[in-house]
Structure formats: C-alpha cells, structure tokens
Amino acid sequence: MKRPTAQSSAALFVVTAVLVAGVWAIADLGIDLSTIVDSVHNAIDFGSRMFPLDFPSIGELAALTGKTLAIVLCATLLSVLLSIPVAVLAAGNTSRSASTRFGARALIVAARAVPDVVLAIVFFRVFGFGALAGVLAMGIHSVGMVAKLYADAIEQIDEGPRSAVRATGARRWQELVSGVLPQVVPAFVATGLHRFDINLRISVLLGFVGVDGIGLAMATAFRRLDYQRGMALALTVLLVCVLVELLSGMVRRGLLAAADSGGGGRVRPGQVSPPWTTRRVRRTVYAGVTALVVLAAIWEADLSFGQLFGSLGDLGQTIGLFWPPETGGIFGLLLADLLVTVKIALAATVIGAVLAFVCGSLAASNVAPTPGVRQLFRNIIVTVRGMPELVLAIVFVVITGLGPVAGALALAIGTIGLLGKLTADSLEEVDPEVEHAVRATGAGPWQVYFAATLPQAAPAFVGNLLYQLDVNIRAATLLGIVGAGGIGFHLLNATRVLEFGVVTTVMILVFGTVLLVELLALWMRRIVR
C-alpha cells in the first residue's frame, strides 16, 4: 500500500470538505423529503396543465429544428477553426516556447470560464439580435473545451512521422500538415462531434436570451404560461438531443475504429499519391457530404457577414458601455446570490453523485447482474443526458416554486447523465485480473464489487466528481435566468434595464468563482490520477 503523501492527504481533505459543504448546502437550501412531498400536488397540477401537448405543425417544427441545428453546427465549426491554432500553440511538442504555451493555455481556461450566455448578451449588444450572436457566443466559449482536447491529442502523437518530415528539410507548417495533422484528425473530428452534442443543449438556454431557433420558441411559450406548447417543444428538444447523441456516438466509434485499423493501400514505386482504395473513396465522399452540410447550415442560419463586419466599427463604443464595472447599489445582494449559486452547485453535485453512483454501477458491464439491467440503466443515462438542464429547471420551478431548490434539483437530475456515464466507464476500465483473483476465493458479486472493482475505480470517481462540480457551478450561474435561484437573475435583469456595468460586475464575480473551482479541480485531478 502506498504511504500517504502531503498532497494526497490534502486532496482527501478537500474532497471531504466538498462533501460536507454539499450536505450543508442541502440542509441550508431546505431540500428534504417534506419539500418534495409538499410539491406533489404542484406536480399533479402541472401535469394536468401540460396535457395534451400542443405540437407546432410539421413544417414549423422542421423549420425550428433545422434553424437550431444550423446555428449549432456553425458554432461548432467556428470553435474547431479557432481551436486548431490555439491547440498547436498550447501543446508541449508543437509550441515555440514556454511563454507561448502558457499564454495559449491561459486563453483556453479564460474561454471556458466565461459562460456562453454572458458572451451572447455582449454579442447581442454588438451585432444585434439573430443567429450571429449565438454562433459567436457558443463558438468562442467552446474553444475552452475543444482546444484543450485538441492540444492533448497533439501531445500524444507518434513523433516518428513528424521527425521523418523534418529530416527532409520541410518547414514548420509542413511538419504540422504532413507529420501531425494526419495522426490527430480522427480525434479532432470525434471531439467536434462531442462538442456538437453539448452545444445543442446550450442552444436551448441561449434561446431564453434571444438566440433564434427552438429554444427561443420554447422561451416564448413558457413566458406566456403556455405549458402545452412549451413542453411539446421541450420533448422535441429531448428527442433531437438523444438522436444526435446516438448518431454522433456511432460516428465517433467508427472514426476511432478506423484510426485503430491502420492506413490505406500500398503505394507502388514511382507513385506520388495514395491509391484510390475503397477507404479513400469513402473518405472523399464523406468530406464532400460534410462540405455540403456545412454550406447548407450557413445558409439556413442566415448569417450575415455584412452584419459581422459592419458592426465591428462600433465595437469599441459598445465595449465602453460595459466598462467600468458598476454595482448598481446591490453589491451585497450580488455576493449573497453568488453564494446561493455555489450552494446550488454543491447540493446538486452531492445529490446527483449518489444517484449517478447507483445508475453508473448498474450500467457497467462488469457490475450489472444481467445484460438487461445494464442496458436499462445505459438507456436511462442516455435519456437524462439528452435533457437540457434549463428544461428541467423550468419544470422544477413550476413544481417547487421560484428559488434555488428548483435549480438544485434540476442540476441533480442532470448530473446523472454525465457523472453516471463517467462512473460506468471508470468501473468497466478496471483491471479484471484483480476481480478474478477475489472471485476465485469464493467471494460473491457484491464482495467482488466492494473489494476489487470499487477501490480501483475510486481515484477516477473522485476526479469525475470534481469535474462535475466544476460543470454544475457554471450551470448554476445561469439557471437564475428562468427563476431557479442564484446570480443568473441579476445578469438577465441588468441586461433588460441596460445597466451594462452591473453585467460586467456579475461577469467578473462568475469568472472568478469558476476560475477558482477550475484551478482546484485541475490540481485535484493531477493528484488523484
């Protein structure tokens, strides 16, 4: 057994502190069995008001869905294009200097720390309403995740091909194009598809601040208290998210399998280009179809490059509206609601972790008692992952009333989707030999689970728990937009009354909190790795 180090002891202390703080937050917010029981009649009343669901016509529904998918695709494409050069500068094996690498990494953290809805509010002021602000907000915020994963992929390449290209006297950009890019393309595409899933859920939230698409239609319906139409659109979003999740998962697995299977056909002596094998033809067709889909998305999103470049001239004046930061005489209230936001995230993480631990364990192939049970809980996790937290927050606001309880319960349910999947993956990746050894002693399934499987997966579970806390704090800052408690209410309210200095103050508070948790989570993940 390893001797405990100062760092591991500190990590254990921090994890314990997070759990204790989570339990305290649950009690302080008043989340208990009586709250849930008291809300049952509200749930029944809400159910009676949402049925029958009122779906738009097929044409209108197709137009809304197409617009949303087009905006999301354009935003994801923008994030990929921005992330590639940032990742090259941030990767240790391609960066020119330590200072360049540090600067690129800092840019990635900053992009991840500023919530996309805050960016959308700023871009609405600069470029006006429409799809452009949403594309820019999601695209720039996504750089925080996409560029980080791209940089990680670049650092894991085989340096052999790159060295061979360099030995021919190639320039730096030729090294990157010929020696690095072919190795990381599958990982780049898989990351882009994963980000597309995430941006699809985010687009619903941005609809509540004016981004066009199905999120805007849903926000309009809920503001009119038209629950039949709002929940019909929410169900549509859920189905689209689940379908996209399943489709992109299939594509990602296909890409990674193709990457693992090796290269194409043999090049004959004197031949200067690869032969047209079936694989190369298939790749070319895929590339052509992808290009057509991207062009169609740009057309459907109705992006105006004139709007983009025409508004840049007023950029300085618009940014001046947000500076200097102002408190609006409510700085104490802002701090109090920031604390509420942190409480929501802590409570949701602890409640969700308990639920995710059970669901994730029963979804793991080496733990589930039968394949049917495993598939059932896998389906539950996929379904929950398809539910945008904002939709859950709206439902809980109606059931439990305005306030942080709704936000905490919504995030707790949403936690099952991500943390449940990560838990199942961690359990399935343990060393099976250890499980076989314990099983050989005559131990039963649960004894194997607690003696062999769980101890091996514990470090990964701790790291995933901190990552989930990080995610929940970002999400909790935004749920106030629909009345689910926290500082998000002030963000939206300040925008509506044109107090942009207050918007900047809220942004600074949110940025500082998220950055602090980001650094803590990064340190903890390194220790428990």
Side-chain angles (χ1 to χ4, degrees), residues 336-411:
D337 280 344
L338 182 64
L339 179 61
V340 171
T341 299
V342 175
K343 287 181 190 174
I344 292 172
L346 285 168
T349 301
V350 171
I351 297 173
V354 174
L355 300 174
F357 184 74
V358 175
C359 291
S361 296
L362 291 173
S365 58
N366 53 338
V367 178
T370 65
V373 171
R374 173 186 178 275
Q375 192 58 49
L376 172 63
F377 280 91
R378 282 279 179 183
N379 291 341
I380 291 174
I381 289 172
V382 169
T383 303
V384 173
R385 284 193 70 194
M387 296 180 183
E389 285 91 353
L390 196 73
V391 174
L392 291 169
I394 292 170
V395 172
F396 279 110
V397 163
V398 175
I399 293 175
T400 65
L402 295 169
V405 173
L409 293 177
L411 284 183

